[in-house]
Amino acid sequence: MTPLLVGLLACTDPPSVVVVGGGLAGLAAAAEAGRGGAAVTLLEAAPEVGGAARWAAGITWIPTAEEAEEWAAAAGEASAARDRYIARVVPDVVEGLRLTFSPVPDPSGEGARLVAPAGGGPAVVGALAARAAAAGVHVRTGCRVDGLSRDADGWRVETRTCGEVEADRVVIATGGFAGDIEESRQRLDLGGGILLRSAPRHADGGGIVLATAAGAAAARNPLAVIYAHAVPDPRDAKAALMVTQLPRDAVVVDTDGGRQDSLLAVRGEAGRALLDLPGQRAWLVGTAEGLGQQRAMPLDGPPVALSAVARAHGFMAPDLSTLSAELAMRGDALSRYAFEPGAVPAPAAPLPPRGPYIAVPLHPTPAKSLGGVDADLDGRALDAAGAPVPGLFVAGELMGFGEPYGAAPRDSTMVAGAVLSGQAAGRAAGER
């Protein structure tokens, strides 16, 4: 066999690809690379694949033409990734996953067209895992990657529990850094206030460390979705429960007693607004009978009644004057929000005139980090000079989902961004 023929045959051999991370982006990347003919191994640190999607509702935004225009205007600049989202969310996600999606209410109250699959996030995980299996992907769980190195023969992926794996190309899809509060505080310059954790602990920024050590450039200005509707879990004061709807007989106030109901908006901007308030804290105030019965959602497990949160981290009082004093507010700070006995509630005075009352603290929580590693639209990791790092790709939250959200995040769970960015990285990594 001549050297020329050997070279030609080598060029046509399918590449070997290792995907690090088995969330939605990693599964989508692995499936796409496998469907393209690559020999794919997926390494997941957890005992099972799925990542944060195992606890998510799988809600996906399908923007109308008008919403797409508003989205672009809010972002203020052109985005190829946003254009891809708008064009491909239906064919590649809503229809492409072959799940039954149904409309769901927009928790922001803005009337966005949202859909969710029957079975929630786990159904999306199942669909992508089945697609990966059909593409011949070798999935290995319990394999946390500790290091990457590259030489003339390709990549060496190092794990303590699963040995060393060699590959021509590597896709890193390990999620973001919002699961590590101190990492979030440092990368996002969030100051010293109380922050709650509402992302899985495995989203600790480890993928950024792997990628940058391998030559990729860290994002200069990483963004994040920072919610304000987070209350501390009675079981863990640093973990968040999410309150997504304000009851009619409750108010949100700052530490001076000023009304701040907009903090419960399901948008990242609400968290930024809370960070600007004194003490970076607000209070959710209502009756024990009304607000106290409302349940907040944890990252994992059953909902928790707000009365339990008040007992653990807030206050209970027989009347509003006493509650104001407990919150170090002037005596009439909360009383003005109660309607008179015999009257009817009004927007300015929604609180019933009789208690007992509760106050639950609201804190900011970094829910999703939008970028950590620089990459192009096809998921190629870029070095400090803006050139692709040979054979290194990133997908999902690690690279801002391809940056369709930019400064205007509009999707509640970013399922579509994870799938679309994973597919793009998988296609590019699997090319011959």
Side-chain angles (χ1 to χ4, degrees):
M1 187 178 294
T2 68
L4 177 61
L5 183 56
V6 170
L8 290 173
L9 288 174
C11 289
T12 59
D13 285 344
S16 56
V17 176
V18 166
V19 177
V20 183
L24 296 188
L27 287 169
E32 200 68 22
R35 292 171 71 183
V40 183
T41 299
L42 185 149
L43 302 177
E44 166 57 45
E48 58 183 327
V49 297
R54 295 200 305 269
W55 305 294
I59 296 173
T60 300
W61 179 39
I62 306 175
T64 63
E66 182 179 359
E67 287 172 335
E69 292 180 2
E70 293 174 352
W71 192 17
E77 58 185 18
S79 168
R82 186 173 60 245
D83 293 342
R84 178 177 66 188
Y85 181 107
I86 294 167
R88 304 308 307 174
V89 61
V90 171
D92 288 357
V93 181
V94 177
E95 295 176 352
L97 292 176
R98 298 184 179 181
L99 298 171
T100 301
F101 281 81
S102 301
V104 295
D106 178 6
S108 72
E110 297 177 8
R113 184 167 52 153
L114 302 179
V115 296
V124 181
V125 173
L128 290 172
R131 185 174 292 183
V137 175
H138 181 204
V139 176
R140 301 180 66 183
T141 57
C143 300
R144 182 179 179 88
V145 173
D146 302 302
L148 296 174
S149 59
R150 178 167 56 96
D151 57 25
D153 296 325
W155 291 90
R156 284 179 171 78
V157 183
E158 304 161 13
T159 77
R160 295 179 185 176
T161 54
C162 301
E164 185 177 273
V165 183
E166 297 183 356
D168 298 315
R169 296 159 192 173
V170 173
V171 180
I172 306 178
T174 53
F177 53 80
D180 186 322
I181 289 300
E182 293 310 313
E183 187 83 6
S184 296
R185 192 188 303 278
Q186 179 178 352
R187 290 187 180 275
L188 300 171
D189 192 22
L190 297 181
I194 297 174
L195 299 176
L196 301 183
R197 182 182 62 84
S198 60
R201 293 186 186 278
H202 68 256
D204 58 3
I208 301 176
V209 176
L210 289 174
T212 54
R220 292 181 179 87
N221 297 302
L223 303 170
V225 173
I226 304 176
Y227 291 137
H229 55 279
V231 300
D233 192 323
R235 300 162 297 184
D236 181 355
K238 296 181 180 180
L241 302 173
M242 308 303 278
V243 182
T244 58
Q245 188 173 1
L246 179 65
R248 292 181 180 179
D249 59 346
V251 294
V252 178
V253 296
D254 56 32
T255 53
D256 293 328
R259 193 85 173 259
Q260 300 286 348
D261 292 348
S262 63
L263 291 180
L264 289 191
V266 188
R267 288 284 180 262
E269 296 85 352
R272 288 289 182 183
L274 181 52
L275 285 166
D276 291 336
L277 292 177
Q280 299 183 338
R281 172 186 290 188
W283 294 95
L284 180 56
V285 176
T287 63
E289 182 178 349
L291 180 64
Q293 299 305 308
Q294 181 167 337
R295 296 177 178 273
M297 297 300 299
L299 182 66
D300 190 16
V304 178
L306 288 180
S307 57
V309 180
R311 286 192 295 270
H313 304 297
F315 296 95
M316 290 185 164
D319 55 69
L320 290 172
S321 293
T322 303
L323 188 60
S324 295
E326 294 278 13
L327 300 178
M329 300 174 184
R330 64 184 186 276
D332 63 344
L334 296 178
S335 299
R336 56 182 161 160
Y337 299 126
F339 56 88
E340 294 294 329
V344 296
L351 296 181
R354 295 183 180 85
Y357 300 93
I358 66 171
V360 178
L362 293 177
H363 295 292
T365 175
K368 299 175 183 71
S369 49
L370 301 180
V373 176
D374 284 341
D376 65 14
L377 191 62
D378 292 318
R380 294 180 178 87
L382 304 178
D383 63 19
V389 178
L392 184 63
F393 301 80
V394 289
E397 192 171 354
L398 177 64
M399 44 84 79
F401 305 100
E403 297 185 357
Y405 305 103
R410 297 296 298 268
D411 192 354
S412 59
T413 60
M414 299 180 178
V415 166
V419 173
L420 293 172
S421 65
Q423 288 176 340
R427 278 193 296 269
E431 288 178 351
R432 298 193 181 208

